[in-house]
Amino acid sequence: MGAAIRRAIIEQSCRAHVGHIGSCLSIADVMAALYGDTLRTAGQNDPDRDRFILSKGHAALALYAALREAGHLSEEELETYCADGTDLSGHPEHALAPVEFSTGSLGHGLSIGAGAALGARLRASPSRVFVLLSDAECNEGSVWEAAMFAAHHGLTNLIAIVDANGQQALGRTSDVLDLEPLSRRWAAFGWDAREVDGHDPEGLARELEELNAGLGPPHVLVARTIFGKGISYMEGEIPWHYLPMSEEQYAQALRELDTAASDVQ
Amino acid sequence: MRRAFVESLVELAERDDSVVLLTGDLGYTVIEPFAERYPGRFFNVGVAEQNMIGMATGLTSFGLKPFAYSIATFASMRGYEFIRNGPVLHELPVRVVGVGDGFDYGPNGATHFPLEDVALMRVQPGLAVVAPADPVQTRSAMLALADLPGPAYIKLGKGGTPVPGLEGRFRLGRTELIGDGEDVAILAYGSMAAEAVEAMSLLEAEGVRSTVGVVASLAPPPVEDLAELLDRVPLAIALEAHYLTGGLGSLVSEVVAERGLACRVIRQGMATLPRGQTGSPAFMRSRHGLTAQSVADSAVTVLESTR
């Protein structure tokens, strides 16, 4: 599923002529694990469904692509990404039914997730709440307010995934506001913190399955990822936070995706 | 008013198991009746207002109706964007409860004076903004809001004296009238409503007949009621322990302008944030012209100048 998500990210970003491509590519495999394996009845109208909150809302396209792969969104709908009159905006909006909460203001999602996880507990629901954050989003103090609450109240049904791609809008996280040691920081806040390879969907799915114990502290996977993963000229390159692709760049990106696909076969 | 709030909340919680109370570590000697009766539905989130609002948003995902409680400055402003992107954007039944009206926190100083919360909240579409005038009206407002599907901001003063003639009346989107004089309309909410009623008596002694409009429902705004009242009087005084910009005075001016009414509007409120020289609520109100006498003086002066 990761490859299909990646291809949709490239195709739709080109068609819509928009950026945030690198941020979408870095979570393609995480989204594949979530929507391919982990989430239970997400996107359906089941009160006990797992909730997913894309707190790094600027990677909305990766979510839309995953929703299409999981059958919650049609190809025709996906084709309206960032077009006039669409519900598929550059940051997810709840007007689109499978989106639980509108996001795009960093630092908001984990507190919503903590509230939802507490709500599930109060309602004795088996629902789990997954929140995907960016690493630079952890600059926001509100993330740590939510982290403290979740740990204090033992919200084991809350699972955060941090997309640790090491980059933010204007530079490397290590240069802008160093987050390391990131997983130790989460652990110090009382979370079950694990380092994982963010480009290994099977490994991610296995790890996420193991968290399903129903006991203990909230969980966080610090997913080590590569910004722009899969497109050579975008990998680790800051400008791809904002830039759209030229026609030439688009053609090269498609060639690289084709090569990757034939390598797999 | 805070006691009336928590008593009403317990009453709501008795018949609705989705009612949950969050506090940002405030409400000592206020919230205990709820916390003791419903410990499983009470959460002190710590000194973290942003997270409190974010969590209230998330709680609604499981059908819960959270009340988020703090001092009005913190409740309204620290998490303002979370209110906007949460309960307002998603149209959720979250109740943000801000304690303190104007100078209720007197000697505590400027950080504790909510002088802009009505303005900030009033601009958010679909957010009910309610500022009851006394304990009985607080209970009426709480009951009126019980089944509101959208969000609300409830501004609670610390006063406890009933406003004479109000008798606890409250209707969302309406103005509650006291008296029927046609020389001047005095409009107020929260702690200023009592001053407005007292001003009515002072003016009566001067031979000036007035009507007090208690605008506890600032949003949805009671436009029709205000238009009807303002059409009958040559002068309206909007009294509020709040900045002149954006609050009740602005609402009244909007109605007068949009309806093309001939009524003159005097906004009696705060032009700026006081810095230093604090004192008791009574001292602060007196110092800043937020008293019955000051309203009466304004009315007499303006009416004489136009005679």
Side-chain angles (χ1 to χ4, degrees), chain B residues 207-227:
Chain B
V208 176
R209 295 181 42 76
S210 57
T211 301
V212 168
V214 178
V215 190
S217 171
L218 291 143
V223 172
E224 294 304 326
D225 285 351
L226 286 175

Side-chain angles (χ1 to χ4, degrees), chain A residues 47 49 51 94 100-102 105 107-108 111-112 114-120 122-123 125 127 129 141-142 145-146 149 153, chain B residues 17-18 20 22 40 43-45 47-51 54-55 57-64 81-82 85-86 89-90 92:
Chain A
R49 69 190 179 276
R51 267 55 166 185
H94 68 288
E100 299 279 352
F101 289 99
S102 300
S105 174
H108 194 190
S111 62
I112 297 176
L118 180 65
L122 293 179
R123 292 301 203 194
S125 166
S127 168
V129 180
S142 53
E145 290 183 8
F149 182 93
H153 290 273
Chain B
D17 71 359
S18 64
V20 173
L22 308 176
F43 298 93
N44 182 351
V45 304
V47 190
E49 296 81 9
Q50 289 183 92
N51 185 46
M55 284 191 51
T57 302
L59 279 162
T60 63
S61 187
F62 287 86
L64 297 160
E81 192 220 22
F82 280 23
N85 287 339
L89 177 58
H90 298 83
L92 301 173

Side-chain angles (χ1 to χ4, degrees), chain B residues 285-300:
Chain B
R285 288 172 197 157
S286 169
R287 187 184 182 86
H288 295 287
L290 303 170
T291 60
Q293 190 61 56
S294 171
V295 171
D297 291 348
S298 300
V300 168

Side-chain angles (χ1 to χ4, degrees), chain B residues 122 129 170-177 187-189 213-230 248 251-252 254-255 259:
Chain B
R122 199 167 77 81
V129 181
F170 176 86
R171 293 164 298 169
L172 198 60
R174 301 296 301 272
T175 296
E176 306 299 342
L177 302 181
L187 300 153
Y189 58 84
V214 178
V215 190
S217 171
L218 291 143
V223 172
E224 294 304 326
D225 285 351
L226 286 175
E228 199 175 295
L229 172 62
L230 298 167
L248 177 60
L251 170 60
V252 169
E254 288 159 18
V255 172
R259 295 297 173 104

Side-chain angles (χ1 to χ4, degrees), chain B residues 14-209:
Chain B
E14 275 169 12
R15 64 176 202 221
D16 184 350
D17 71 359
S18 64
V19 170
V20 173
L21 176 62
L22 308 176
T23 175
D25 202 32
L26 285 167
Y28 181 61
T29 72
V30 175
I31 51 159
E32 289 81 356
F34 186 96
E36 285 163 12
R37 182 123 179 219
Y38 298 107
R41 289 197 257 160
F42 168 74
F43 298 93
N44 182 351
V45 304
V47 190
E49 296 81 9
Q50 289 183 92
N51 185 46
M52 176 166 70
I53 303 295
M55 284 191 51
T57 302
L59 279 162
T60 63
S61 187
F62 287 86
L64 297 160
K65 291 180 189 158
F67 286 72
Y69 181 100
S70 187
I71 290 177
T73 42
F74 318 141
S76 65
M77 288 189 280
R78 179 60 67 92
Y80 188 68
E81 192 220 22
F82 280 23
I83 295 173
R84 191 261 200 190
N85 287 339
V88 171
L89 177 58
H90 298 83
E91 303 170 285
L92 301 173
V94 169
R95 313 288 180 244
V96 179
V97 182
V99 178
D101 180 10
F103 297 114
D104 278 350
Y105 280 94
N108 289 288
T111 54
H112 286 54
F113 301 151
L115 299 174
E116 60 279 87
D117 55 341
V118 169
L120 291 168
M121 295 301 164
R122 199 167 77 81
V123 297
Q124 294 296 341
L127 178 66
V129 181
V130 172
D134 66 14
V136 197
Q137 198 187 36
T138 299
R139 179 171 182 276
S140 306
M142 286 289 286
L143 297 179
L145 292 171
D147 298 316
L148 189 74
Y153 176 69
I154 303 168
K155 180 177 169 74
L156 290 180
K158 291 174 80 176
T161 318
V163 173
L166 182 58
E167 287 141 10
R169 285 173 289 147
F170 176 86
R171 293 164 298 169
L172 198 60
R174 301 296 301 272
T175 296
E176 306 299 342
L177 302 181
I178 301 169
D180 59 2
E182 298 194 347
D183 294 327
V184 58
I186 308 168
L187 300 153
Y189 58 84
S191 60
M192 288 295 105
E195 298 290 332
V197 172
E198 196 186 329
M200 183 164 71
S201 307
L202 295 174
L203 286 167
E204 188 79 40
E206 304 264 344
V208 176
R209 295 181 42 76

